[in-house]
Amino acid sequence: MSFDQEITLYHLDVLKEVGNIGAGHAATALSTLLGKTIDMKVPLVKIVSFDDMMEMAGGSENIVVSIFLRIEGEISGSMFFILPLPQAESFIRTMTQDESFSFDTPPYSEIGLSAMQEMGNILSGTYLSSLSDFTQLNLYPTVPALSVDMVGAIISYGLVELSQVSDQAIVIDTALFGEGHEGEGVTGQFFLLPDPDSFHVLFKSLGVE
Amino acid sequence: MGEIKQQVIKVGIADLKVVNAPDTIRTAGLGSCVGLVLYDQVSKRAGLLHIMLPNSILSRSDTVNVAKFADTGVKALIEQMGVSTTRLKAKMAGGAQMFQFSSQKDMMRIGPRNVGAIKDQLKLHRIPLLGEDVGGNSGRTIEFDTATSLLHIRTVNAGETIL
């Protein structure tokens, strides 16, 4: 599918709703996990170049904590949950009650990383199961993988399938933030990147041709 | 007449550029992608290619961005260098395996395949590979200095390497 010709504004609105529902449930799960109020921004759905995609995540060299999984099943794609280091540190400290956890120098504490991994499992699982309920599609996510690295290196991995067909990606970007923190940077960001062949299945499942 | 200012020329993903001394050329956030530098020590000219995929036959698109693939990218970079291939030397970095999955689809081994494809192209064009920092599971940012012909490689978890 060539994105610029066949995807209309209406399609983009439908994808926005996908982000809304998925990340909305994930925000609730995160809120329960941390015992804090978590809000979300209105999802952004954009058709972007690969370089623009990196800019949306803070630039190629931006060092982040990421949870990445592949979605398989009736539709396929890549999903990332990306956290700035200070945010991830603060979440890990809350979950493990270990105030000494830090991303300053590797190797990082195993328990801390394991807590982060678990949080990624819960949030991405919540996002995808609500997406599956909403679309009635069977989705089989891989076990999420955790990485602390440059965002360009991480996201380009999720662009491999897409890059065979296109030089652009449709990204559903949803940001979460803590109560009263909207101006102070994002708590976490979901990127959902459906593979090109999946769009028609996704739209069909939602009654859009 | 001002001084000649040294610039850092940035190369994006699936992109290629050529610079002359004293400029340096860099690309950021290489994961499974490979950054290939071709340089000529005589004219102090260097080109950098940031590829994503090993072979253009993988393309299912009507229009091909040559810099996205190892085969078409190396050819295009040689052309843009505009010097005889006998004067060119190569250095490269990248091709990491960023994530480990139990169910390894072929596409997920893309890093090592990219590295192999670049090496095949260099052999084909008889360009010697004088340094490489490939594989592993770290992202890399690389910068090539045309004046010294050194490739600086920075990672988050394993510090800096110079080739």
Side-chain angles (χ1 to χ4, degrees):
Chain A
M1 177 179 279
S2 72
F3 295 148
D4 40 348
Q5 286 160 21
E6 291 174 41
I7 299 268
T8 65
L9 281 175
Y10 180 58
H11 286 117
L12 295 182
D13 274 343
V14 170
L15 295 177
K16 210 178 261 186
E17 195 51 26
V18 166
N20 226 340
I21 288 170
H25 284 88
T28 308
L30 181 59
S31 176
T32 309
L33 196 64
L34 298 173
K36 283 185 191 168
T37 307
I38 301 288
D39 290 318
M40 60 180 282
K41 293 190 181 170
V42 176
L44 289 174
V45 176
K46 284 187 180 168
I47 303 178
V48 292
S49 72
F50 298 156
D51 283 325
D52 291 342
M53 168 92 220
M54 305 310 171
E55 290 308 315
M56 285 173 83
S60 283
E61 270 190 286
N62 184 26
I63 297 165
V64 296
V65 174
S66 84
I67 307 285
F68 166 60
L69 58 86
R70 285 285 301 167
I71 303 161
E72 324 238 302
E74 288 179 77
I75 60 170
S76 62
S78 296
M79 175 156 188
F80 296 93
F81 180 58
I82 288 179
L83 289 165
L85 293 188
Q87 281 296 350
E89 239 168 48
S90 135
F91 287 168
I92 289 170
R93 287 175 182 175
T94 305
M95 286 186 289
T96 60
Q97 308 204 324
D98 172 9
E99 286 301 316
S100 67
F101 183 87
S102 153
F103 280 113
D104 288 346
T105 43
Y108 315 119
S109 121
E110 283 294 323
I111 291 174
L113 291 182
S114 160
M116 190 70 238
Q117 169 97 40
E118 192 48 32
M119 178 174 165
N121 290 356
I122 293 169
L123 297 190
S124 51
T126 309
Y127 190 123
L128 289 176
S129 61
S130 62
L131 175 58
S132 176
D133 288 346
F134 176 53
T135 57
Q136 295 291 308
L137 293 170
N138 293 315
L139 305 178
Y140 307 104
T142 62
V143 174
L146 177 79
S147 171
V148 183
D149 215 312
M150 301 173 195
V151 82
I154 290 166
I155 290 184
S156 57
Y157 209 71
L159 294 173
V160 166
E161 287 288 334
L162 202 82
S163 65
Q164 296 168 55
V165 184
S166 174
D167 292 310
Q168 292 180 313
I170 293 185
V171 55
I172 304 170
D173 170 11
T174 331
L176 306 182
F177 58 92
E179 193 177 18
H181 287 74
E182 186 166 9
E184 297 169 30
V186 168
T187 302
Q189 225 172 344
F190 282 102
F191 289 121
L192 181 63
L193 292 160
D195 289 344
D197 296 339
S198 295
F199 282 102
H200 70 276
V201 182
L202 185 58
F203 289 131
K204 208 173 163 200
S205 75
L206 296 169
V208 184
E209 289 301 326
Chain B
M1 296 289 280
E3 293 172 42
I4 300 172
K5 266 176 92 176
Q6 184 184 5
Q7 283 190 24
V8 181
I9 306 300
K10 288 180 183 161
V11 178
I13 185 166
D15 191 13
L16 70 86
K17 281 181 185 149
V18 172
V19 298
N20 294 303
D23 292 348
T24 63
I25 189 163
R26 87 196 291 266
T27 196
L30 290 165
S32 56
C33 297
V34 175
L36 170 73
V37 175
L38 293 184
Y39 61 100
D40 171 24
Q41 279 168 308
V42 179
S43 60
K44 299 277 181 205
R45 188 171 163 81
L48 174 58
L49 168 71
H50 181 149
I51 61 134
M52 296 182 81
L53 294 169
N55 199 306
S56 58
I57 56 167
L58 288 170
S59 176
R60 292 188 282 141
S61 151
D62 304 335
T63 52
V64 174
N65 169 11
V66 290
K68 194 156 64 179
F69 307 97
D71 57 340
T72 49
V74 171
K75 190 162 170 272
L77 184 60
I78 290 170
E79 280 166 16
Q80 284 217 9
M81 286 292 291
V83 297
S84 160
T85 51
T86 56
R87 273 167 46 187
L88 293 178
K89 295 184 173 69
K91 290 182 179 178
M92 73 168 165
Q97 182 83 6
M98 295 301 296
F99 299 95
Q100 309 291 335
F101 287 105
S102 48
S103 67
Q104 287 281 349
K105 265 180 78 182
D106 207 27
M107 262 352 267
M108 289 290 137
R109 290 192 57 259
I110 200 75
R113 287 176 60 202
N114 280 336
V115 170
I118 291 268
K119 285 186 177 171
D120 290 346
Q121 289 299 317
L122 292 176
K123 262 186 213 134
L124 188 71
H125 295 283
R126 297 168 198 267
I127 299 171
L129 178 63
L130 297 191
E132 62 179 298
D133 178 31
V134 297
N137 53 17
S138 281
R140 296 170 170 92
T141 286
I142 63 172
E143 183 165 340
F144 185 81
D145 188 337
T146 43
T148 59
S149 301
L150 291 176
L151 183 64
H152 297 256
I153 300 149
R154 203 173 62 78
T155 65
V156 175
N157 300 313
E160 188 172 317
T161 312
I162 299 172
L163 291 178

